[in-house]
Amino acid sequence: DLTVAVGGSPDEVEYWRKLVEDFERREGIKVKVIRQPTDTDLRRQTLVVALVARKSDPDVFLMDVAWVSQFVESGWLEEIRGVDPSPFFRSAVTVGTKAGKVYTLPLYVDCGVLYYRKDLLEKYGCPVPKTWGDLVKCSLRVKEGGKDPYEFLWQGAQYEGLICTFLEFAVSAGGDLKDLDSPQNVRALTFMRDLIHTYRLSPPNTYTEMKEEEVRILFQNGGALFERNWPYAWALHNSEDSPVKGRVGVTLIPKFRGGRHASCLGGWHVGISRFSDRKEQALKFVKFVTSREVQIKLALDLGWNPGRKDVYKDLTTRSPHLEVVRRSCEVAVPRPRVPYYTRISEVLRRYLNSALAGSMDPQEALRKAKIEIGKIEDLYR
């Protein structure tokens, strides 16, 4: 049988089984679903073990966008031939492309967005912020009006989410993750620190506890004016039991004056093992799950943001917030495309977190991170 490895929640895995049954009826190809762990790191580990051992199964599998470069550079993926990549978000396709050959396609994408309280912006006469200056100005106005002590929630704990958040701040200031201690990056990290310690718009536990769900729950309980998070939070904020239902808006991540809007690229890609013994059938399955029809079904049934940008017009009439998601993914920025990215992330998040905690100057933190990461890069040259 053709083998397809998938993970996620039990509901997601069960949905994959239904998709597989549809594919089997259409193509007459038997498919076995291999259930992976829910934990992302364990999913990666089980795939790496099979690929290093050159096992023929699984034939098809999903990859977090952060793993794609490692899988491509390691030579573990088969080229996806005969598929037009133009309908997909360019930044997402680029991650899985090498020497003009496409090795992965985005099954669904994630891009950071800014949530805000529509009712409070209207009450205090604030426009939807386009710049970080707009956000600070409005937050201080609302804070003086006697609302909650903290107005802006974002992911600052020492984990991968901090890299995503910093990438957005840095690129919106004109920086990037190549020249780590550039003036633009120093400006961005200093501003992140000041949100906590100077403006006091973000809580002091931002750098100790704030991850996606901690941020989402606090905002949903009415604990802030603004929230940086991923699109998944939209449905939860507007669920029947949400205290902020109907009072939440969503927009692009703000930028610094002179900079540009940017969003960290997230999501999951689909690819074919180079060691597969069913490559022809695997390619048919990849074409099936990335088709317009299935991408729309995944969006409507699972709430996934399609990797194909050409289906959003079909969806925004039912889910208007997806227009903001589409615009965010158009300006999405991937994390460094190197096979040793996980080692870079471990170093960078440590120094970024120290700067946010106030135990290290932002410029010094970025300088030391650059030196340490340079040593890692030397090992792979």
Side-chain angles (χ1 to χ4, degrees):
D1 294 347
L2 178 70
T3 53
V4 178
V6 297
S9 67
D11 289 344
E12 289 178 354
V13 174
E14 187 57 34
Y15 190 85
W16 273 104
R17 296 189 193 281
K18 294 177 181 177
L19 272 183
V20 161
E21 289 173 3
D22 188 15
F23 174 76
E24 288 177 328
R25 284 193 297 269
R26 295 187 186 197
E27 299 291 340
I29 298 172
K30 289 291 294 180
V31 180
K32 178 182 178 182
V33 174
I34 300 176
R35 182 172 180 175
Q36 288 191 284
T38 302
D39 181 80
T40 301
D41 289 335
L42 289 177
R43 289 175 71 173
R44 175 181 170 275
Q45 183 179 347
T46 57
L47 289 174
V48 169
V49 168
L51 292 166
V52 168
R54 299 184 171 227
K55 292 184 178 180
S56 59
D57 293 334
D59 300 289
V60 179
F61 48 83
L62 308 187
M63 295 158 280
D64 186 296
V65 67
W67 315 339
V68 169
S69 292
Q70 178 192 6
F71 283 42
V72 171
E73 294 295 334
S74 298
W76 293 337
L77 301 176
E78 182 72 10
E79 180 186 357
I80 298 176
R81 297 180 175 87
V83 175
D84 178 12
S86 62
F88 299 86
F89 287 105
R90 185 174 64 177
S91 59
V93 173
T94 300
V95 171
T97 301
K98 181 181 180 183
K101 296 180 178 180
V102 177
Y103 291 95
T104 71
L105 288 173
L107 185 64
Y108 69 92
V109 291
D110 251 349
C111 305
V113 293
L114 182 75
Y115 294 98
Y116 60 90
R117 287 282 299 277
K118 296 188 295 185
D119 55 333
L120 292 177
L121 261 60
E122 183 179 350
K123 178 180 178 180
Y124 289 92
C126 293
V128 176
K130 294 182 178 179
T131 68
W132 292 116
D134 294 339
L135 182 143
V136 169
K137 183 179 179 180
C138 182
S139 296
L140 291 174
R141 184 183 301 176
V142 176
K143 188 180 180 73
E144 291 169 1
K147 197 193 169 293
D148 299 291
Y150 302 109
E151 306 302 336
F152 180 30
L153 306 176
W154 43 279
Q155 295 77 30
Q158 190 174 316
Y159 79 119
E160 183 63 25
L162 174 55
I163 305 294
C164 297
T165 307
F166 174 70
L167 179 61
E168 292 169 350
F169 277 100
V171 175
S172 73
D176 54 43
L177 296 191
K178 296 177 182 177
D179 186 14
L180 264 185
D181 59 349
S182 69
Q184 295 86 350
N185 287 357
V186 172
R187 179 189 185 190
L189 185 54
T190 301
F191 178 69
M192 294 170 71
R193 180 200 63 185
D194 290 348
L195 284 169
I196 303 169
H197 301 284
T198 303
Y199 299 115
R200 298 184 184 276
L201 298 177
S202 301
N205 67 341
T206 295
Y207 57 85
T208 57
E209 299 176 21
M210 285 298 174
K211 299 182 179 181
E212 281 83 0
E213 275 298 272
E214 287 77 8
V215 164
R216 196 269 303 172
I217 291 170
L218 183 54
F219 180 85
Q220 191 162 314
N221 287 331
L225 177 63
F226 296 108
E227 170 202 17
R228 183 273 171 206
N229 217 324
W230 303 97
Y232 85 95
W234 175 262
L236 295 170
H237 290 332
N238 289 283
S239 61
E240 287 299 323
D241 60 348
S242 169
V244 295
K245 180 185 177 183
R247 293 185 284 165
V248 177
V250 62
T251 189
L252 299 179
I253 299 289
K255 61 180 180 178
F256 289 93
R257 291 201 180 278
R260 70 177 181 90
H261 293 292
S263 176
C264 181
L265 178 66
W268 287 74
H269 285 225
V270 62
I272 301 168
S273 170
R274 185 164 69 87
F275 313 110
S276 165
D277 54 2
R278 302 291 299 276
K279 291 177 183 176
E280 184 179 338
Q281 294 88 345
L283 180 59
K284 289 183 178 180
F285 187 80
V286 169
K287 290 180 177 180
F288 169 75
V289 295
T290 57
S291 66
R292 279 181 58 88
E293 177 190 354
V294 174
Q295 288 273 288
I296 291 174
K297 287 179 65 175
L298 290 171
L300 295 177
D301 297 342
L302 293 182
W304 288 359
N305 309 310
R308 295 180 68 111
K309 59 186 178 182
D310 63 342
V311 303
Y312 279 78
K313 286 184 179 180
D314 299 319
L315 298 168
T316 49
T317 52
R318 301 190 192 189
S319 306
H321 77 285
L322 285 176
E323 174 58 20
V324 173
V325 174
R326 183 193 66 78
R327 291 167 57 204
S328 294
C329 290
E330 289 281 12
V331 297
V333 181
R335 281 156 279 181
R337 295 172 56 202
V338 291
Y340 47 87
Y341 169 72
T342 53
R343 296 190 64 183
I344 291 177
S345 174
E346 289 168 1
V347 172
L348 184 55
R349 70 179 72 165
R350 176 160 39 89
Y351 283 104
L352 292 176
N353 193 258
S354 295
L356 297 183
S359 59
M360 189 176 290
D361 176 76
Q363 185 170 15
E364 181 68 5
L366 291 171
R367 187 186 69 83
K368 288 188 174 181
K370 182 177 181 178
I371 293 172
E372 197 166 327
I373 290 172
K375 293 177 181 178
I376 295 173
E377 292 172 337
D378 289 341
L379 295 175
Y380 289 88
R381 287 196 177 106

